[in-house]
Amino acid sequence: MKLKTLIDSIEYLEIKNGDEKTLESVEISSVEFHSKKVKKRTLFVAIKGYRVDGHDFIKDAVASGAVAAIVEDFVEEDILQIKVKNSRIALAKVASIFFGEPSKKLKVTGITASNGKTSTAFMTKCIYDKAGYNTGISGTVYTKYADVEIPSILTTPESKDLQYYFYDMVNKGIDHVIMEVSSSAGELARAYATDFDIVTFNNITPEHIVNHGSFERYYHVKSRLIRHAKDDCVAILNSDFELINDLRNNTKAQVVTYSLKNNLEDISIDNLDLSTGFGKFKFIVNRDIKLKGITIKKQSFDVELKVAGYSSVMNAIVAITIGLVNGIDLDTILAGIQDFTGVERRFEVIFDEGFKIVDDHFANKNNIEVTLDTLSKMDYKNLDILYAIRGSRGADLNEENAEVIASWYERLKPREFIVTLSKDTVTWKDEVTDDELEAFKRVMSKHNIKFVLEDNLKEAVEKVIDGTKDDDLVLFAGCQGMDKAMGIAYDHIIERNLTKYPSKLLEKAKNRVC
């Protein structure tokens, strides 16, 4: 492909070591942002990252065969350089053009939220699969389509990788794609130049602020998915969040609104039952919803989930709405929802023999609030909580999380409250700092809440399991610090002969997605 064809898709400021005629004569065989992947006739895009600057690797790219570089700052290298204001946006645009704008050949559903993106995406995939779509999915767990499965490092892949996946999906016969769109994707233009057909904004809470500098910036980049949606796209918005509701007047997309608190929006629910932990509710379409090419009729129907937690109900509302927007018949949608049995660590019931263990990632105050509210509606004899303090996310976040836990403590009255630093399982980037531990202790002391502190996850898990009896409920609560708890628990349950089905536990651990 001619370099000029790619460069015509971006706004550039200056050219060094060449001119407009040079652009027309240079042939490009690949686009890369990683210098180690450069080969002959590569267009190298220099990206400024959090830790490394791609401009420092232009010399290596030249040595490997790069013939041109997109830069934000000119460097002293003998290579054609095209200067742009934002090289990440440029990368997304040229990658899309290089691969033939593949997202325009797919039906792409983009899902954003502070909580629940993964579960919503997998619920939607179950509905799409049941409808007979050839489906691809990209998110926190993996990018998977046809015979391809790539474990995820990023929730939303870098733009060049994402555009290649789209290109490969088209070649492999995929027609529908479901994407989790993270705030980092918005900040770093990873989903830029992607042609979305359906977008959703499910909820927003203060999350990943360290990556964005402020909540205002976090909301700004999060909301880009809705604000930049095209006029034939459908935006599904949770009106219970004022900031999300405001977007209905700040998008060209056709808007479908829902609420779990009232029946004034397009979609609502009634008769919610969480007594067993597994949600049952009535899904209500309050009026005919007229969209381009389809009308969703006013109707109501009962839904029964096979996954636990109030958060699963919230996610199901979005997934069902996505199905309706696609024109999928109701029986197929409900059959797809029945096929969904959960995503790991999202209010996941990991053991239910005599006593029950629920595993939840407990990421932020909203997630914690929803999880503990669900527990309060469940039937059990005694509650034991094992909580992993969230490491390297700041004292403020941990103090905020601790305050939510404290606000529910008297209502839930746990028999045992064990807290762990998970020193035996976390890597350096998730270690609990002294400030984070002190913030947690300060809140617990203020509310006169006693807890047992364990340095290691293994000892903490074994301690909480050893204290359980029939009809008790154990909550494993925490993000990265609790990731290994299920495996430790299963080993200990089998060792203590607390299960009649050890092979099932081993199989469940083996088949876990991550």
Side-chain angles (χ1 to χ4, degrees), residues 322-333:
I322 291 171
L324 293 172
V325 168
N326 274 282
I328 300 172
D329 69 88
L330 183 57
D331 288 344
T332 300
I333 291 172

Side-chain angles (χ1 to χ4, degrees), residues 369-389:
E369 188 85 40
V370 169
T371 297
L372 297 182
D373 186 30
T374 302
L375 289 183
S376 73
K377 295 177 171 64
M378 293 176 64
D379 296 325
Y380 54 82
K381 187 174 182 181
N382 295 295
L383 172 66
D384 296 329
I385 298 177
L386 171 57
Y387 174 58
I389 295 175

Side-chain angles (χ1 to χ4, degrees), residues 408-423:
W408 280 92
Y409 197 86
E410 280 304 310
R411 281 176 279 181
L412 294 173
K413 291 182 169 48
R415 176 180 57 188
E416 190 162 29
F417 185 26
I418 301 174
V419 177
T420 181
L421 305 179
S422 303
K423 290 183 177 181

Side-chain angles (χ1 to χ4, degrees), residues 254-423:
Q254 307 164 82
V255 173
V256 176
T257 60
Y258 69 95
S259 172
L260 283 78
K261 297 180 179 179
N262 64 68
N263 62 357
L264 302 177
E265 304 301 332
D266 295 326
I267 289 166
S268 61
I269 67 169
D270 198 5
N271 300 336
L272 177 62
D273 180 3
L274 287 167
S275 59
T276 64
F278 298 91
K280 299 178 183 179
F281 60 94
K282 183 176 291 294
F283 185 103
I284 305 170
V285 181
N286 291 302
R287 60 185 69 89
D288 285 356
I289 305 171
K290 296 183 179 181
L291 305 171
K292 292 179 182 178
I294 186 173
T295 297
I296 302 172
K297 293 293 186 181
K298 179 179 179 180
Q299 60 187 300
S300 65
F301 49 87
D302 294 325
V303 180
E304 185 170 347
L305 303 177
K306 289 186 176 179
V307 285
Y310 181 65
S311 58
S312 294
V313 174
M314 294 190 290
N315 300 332
I317 302 303
V318 180
I320 292 169
T321 304
I322 291 171
L324 293 172
V325 168
N326 274 282
I328 300 172
D329 69 88
L330 183 57
D331 288 344
T332 300
I333 291 172
L334 295 179
I337 285 289
Q338 284 294 299
D339 282 350
F340 179 73
T341 55
V343 176
E344 63 188 56
R345 311 224 50 239
R346 271 62 172 185
F347 209 92
E348 181 185 12
V349 179
I350 62 173
F351 185 76
D352 192 5
E353 295 177 40
F355 64 94
K356 183 177 293 185
I357 302 175
V358 170
D359 190 11
D360 189 83
H361 71 315
F362 236 55
N364 53 52
K365 68 176 185 179
N366 186 65
N367 177 207
I368 295 170
E369 188 85 40
V370 169
T371 297
L372 297 182
D373 186 30
T374 302
L375 289 183
S376 73
K377 295 177 171 64
M378 293 176 64
D379 296 325
Y380 54 82
K381 187 174 182 181
N382 295 295
L383 172 66
D384 296 329
I385 298 177
L386 171 57
Y387 174 58
I389 295 175
R390 192 167 190 190
S392 297
R393 297 305 191 279
D396 290 345
L397 175 66
N398 276 282
E399 184 169 355
E400 191 174 68
N401 289 355
E403 286 287 1
V404 179
I405 294 170
S407 72
W408 280 92
Y409 197 86
E410 280 304 310
R411 281 176 279 181
L412 294 173
K413 291 182 169 48
R415 176 180 57 188
E416 190 162 29
F417 185 26
I418 301 174
V419 177
T420 181
L421 305 179
S422 303
K423 290 183 177 181

Side-chain angles (χ1 to χ4, degrees), residues 57-128:
F57 297 90
I58 292 176
K59 183 176 182 179
D60 295 338
V62 172
S64 297
V67 292
I70 291 177
V71 301
E72 291 182 13
D73 302 305
F74 287 137
V75 299
E76 294 302 320
E77 294 293 337
D78 186 18
I79 184 176
L80 173 62
Q81 298 173 45
I82 300 99
K83 187 176 182 179
V84 297
K85 184 177 180 180
N86 187 316
S87 59
R88 286 187 175 274
I89 291 176
L91 174 63
K93 288 183 175 180
V94 299
S96 176
I97 296 297
F98 183 80
F99 290 114
E101 298 183 286
S103 65
K104 290 185 176 181
K105 303 168 187 175
L106 300 161
K107 295 292 185 181
V108 183
T109 300
I111 297 167
T112 200
S114 294
N115 303 294
K117 293 187 295 295
T118 304
S119 294
T120 306
F122 276 90
M123 278 187 182
T124 303
K125 186 179 186 303
C126 286
I127 293 172
Y128 280 7

Side-chain angles (χ1 to χ4, degrees), residues 10-61:
I10 64 174
E11 297 179 7
Y12 59 90
L13 306 174
E14 295 180 65
I15 299 175
K16 180 178 179 179
N17 299 332
D19 53 26
E20 293 285 345
K21 289 185 177 180
T22 313
L23 299 179
E24 295 176 357
S25 63
V26 174
E27 191 74 26
I28 297 298
S29 63
S30 68
V31 175
E32 297 292 351
F33 63 94
H34 197 302
S35 61
K36 291 184 178 179
K37 294 183 179 180
V38 170
K39 55 188 179 183
K40 289 183 179 180
R41 298 197 305 277
T42 290
L43 169 62
F44 179 68
V45 184
I47 290 175
K48 293 182 178 181
Y50 289 126
R51 294 189 177 183
V52 297
D53 185 346
H55 293 73
D56 296 335
F57 297 90
I58 292 176
K59 183 176 182 179
D60 295 338

